[in-house]
Amino acid sequence: GLILCYSDIGQIYMKMGLIDESMEFFENGLNLLNDSDELFVPFFKIHYHLSEVYADLNFTSKAYEMINTCIDRINSYHFKDKNRKYIYLAPSSIILGNLYSKDNTTLAIEHYNKALKMCKYFNDVIYKQKIFYSLGVEYLKLNDLKRSEEYLLKAEKLYDNIRGDIRLINIKLGLYDIHIEKNDLDSAYDNLMIAKDLAEKNSLKKELIEIYGRLSNYAEITNDMEKGYLYNKKHIELISNYYNSKNQALINEKRETVLELS
């Protein structure tokens, strides 16, 4: 129970963009773990979320280590219902897709499609939306606007069943990027303002960085110098606050490494 509490609190801080605080709780949970069967879910959650945090900090090798540890644990664990393992393998494949997304779009798409196939083995309520969104992002990178928009709209349709504001914000930002490419400025702005309202309501600092960056871009496109100045100022302020927390997390992680080596 304590390990799950550490995991849940760490996840809340992670969503708020407070990386240093997030790492502290995840690593507190990690220190309490062992390989016993009773700890399967806490074991999975801690390693899974640490893979997300390490990826955000650009500790790519540690991110791969954490998610591959999850996959090894899943494959070695005896599930009474064989299909139950896909509940854990599907999000793990999504994380692998996210990691490959940085430099190999083809492999990222391959892992997202693997995860999508796994969803048919259990009553999925959240993963399909994540996968559709991620596929939309990858096809946007390939400049396949039609396929990208199709996947993002599929993800958006699932919002009413899930009510995940962070995911909807990211979907709206993806749709903004597509409409900007199409030079459909009104639709782009409408999507961006929906994302802004949701992010401000939930105090999502990390998402607000992306939003104000795009608002600055939109002001530049529409030649609105006054708003552009205000948006840039807010963007810089958000980046500063976010990276202060992120840099502290990096410092603490390096300190831990030095202690381990010594």
Side-chain angles (χ1 to χ4, degrees):
L2 180 59
I3 299 169
L4 287 173
C5 285
Y6 280 136
S7 174
D8 291 342
I9 295 170
Q11 192 178 8
I12 291 168
Y13 278 120
M14 184 170 63
K15 288 178 179 178
M16 293 171 66
L18 300 172
I19 304 300
D20 183 37
E21 292 84 349
S22 175
M23 284 282 289
E24 181 182 346
F25 280 97
F26 288 142
E27 290 183 341
N28 283 341
L30 188 66
N31 291 333
L32 298 175
L33 284 174
N34 58 53
D35 291 334
S36 68
D37 286 352
E38 292 80 8
L39 292 178
F40 174 80
V41 173
F43 185 98
F44 176 84
K45 290 187 73 172
I46 289 289
H47 285 84
Y48 178 86
H49 292 310
L50 274 172
S51 71
E52 293 181 302
V53 174
Y54 285 136
D56 196 37
L57 292 169
N58 291 321
F59 292 164
T60 306
S61 61
K62 295 198 78 170
Y64 275 114
E65 178 188 341
M66 288 294 145
I67 201 61
N68 283 323
T69 298
C70 284
I71 293 170
D72 289 343
R73 186 77 179 95
I74 295 163
N75 288 329
S76 65
Y77 185 76
H78 177 69
F79 293 94
K80 292 180 181 178
D81 178 357
K82 290 183 180 179
N83 287 343
R84 187 169 174 77
K85 71 177 182 179
Y86 295 111
I87 295 174
Y88 303 100
L89 281 175
S92 299
S93 292
I94 293 171
I95 291 292
L96 283 174
N98 295 344
L99 290 169
Y100 282 117
S101 175
K102 295 180 179 181
D103 51 25
N104 194 326
T105 297
T106 302
L107 270 179
I109 290 173
E110 182 181 319
H111 279 286
Y112 293 140
N113 281 321
K114 280 183 182 178
L116 191 60
K117 290 177 181 177
M118 292 176 191
C119 291
K120 68 182 180 181
Y121 292 107
F122 60 96
N123 186 22
D124 170 54
V125 292
I126 56 173
Y127 299 130
K128 280 184 183 177
Q129 189 190 48
K130 288 183 178 181
I131 297 164
F132 288 149
Y133 163 74
S134 298
L135 286 168
V137 170
E138 296 308 312
Y139 281 111
L140 182 57
K141 290 179 186 177
L142 296 173
N143 206 32
D144 189 339
L145 300 183
K146 182 179 178 182
R147 192 175 291 185
S148 175
E149 188 171 15
E150 285 175 358
Y151 277 116
L152 289 174
L153 290 175
K154 281 183 179 181
E156 187 179 35
K157 283 181 181 178
L158 295 174
Y159 173 71
D160 288 337
N161 297 329
I162 301 169
R163 310 300 298 178
D165 285 351
I166 292 179
R167 184 63 56 196
L168 183 60
I169 289 167
N170 290 326
I171 291 166
K172 290 296 184 184
L173 293 180
L175 290 170
Y176 166 85
D177 293 337
I178 290 171
H179 289 303
I180 286 294
E181 289 293 323
K182 291 181 174 181
N183 202 32
D184 184 356
L185 299 184
D186 290 340
S187 295
Y189 185 75
D190 289 344
N191 280 291
L192 193 54
M193 294 311 293
I194 292 171
K196 177 176 176 290
D197 290 343
L198 287 170
E200 288 180 341
K201 182 182 77 174
N202 292 286
S203 299
L204 299 171
K205 296 178 182 179
K206 186 177 178 182
E207 283 68 27
L208 282 168
I209 292 173
E210 296 291 330
I211 290 164
Y212 274 94
R214 284 169 173 80
L215 281 169
S216 299
N217 167 256
Y218 187 84
E220 184 179 338
I221 292 170
T222 56
N223 201 30
D224 190 336
M225 301 301 291
E226 184 177 351
K227 283 187 177 179
Y229 169 76
L230 295 173
Y231 291 147
N232 269 310
K233 184 178 178 182
K234 184 67 175 177
H235 188 223
I236 291 168
E237 178 187 327
L238 288 164
I239 288 175
S240 176
N241 291 337
Y242 176 70
Y243 279 99
N244 281 340
S245 176
K246 193 170 183 178
N247 286 338
Q248 189 59 51
L250 286 167
I251 290 167
N252 290 340
E253 183 63 23
K254 292 295 183 184
R255 187 180 292 121
E256 287 292 327
T257 302
V258 170
L259 288 172
E260 288 173 9
L261 290 173
S262 65

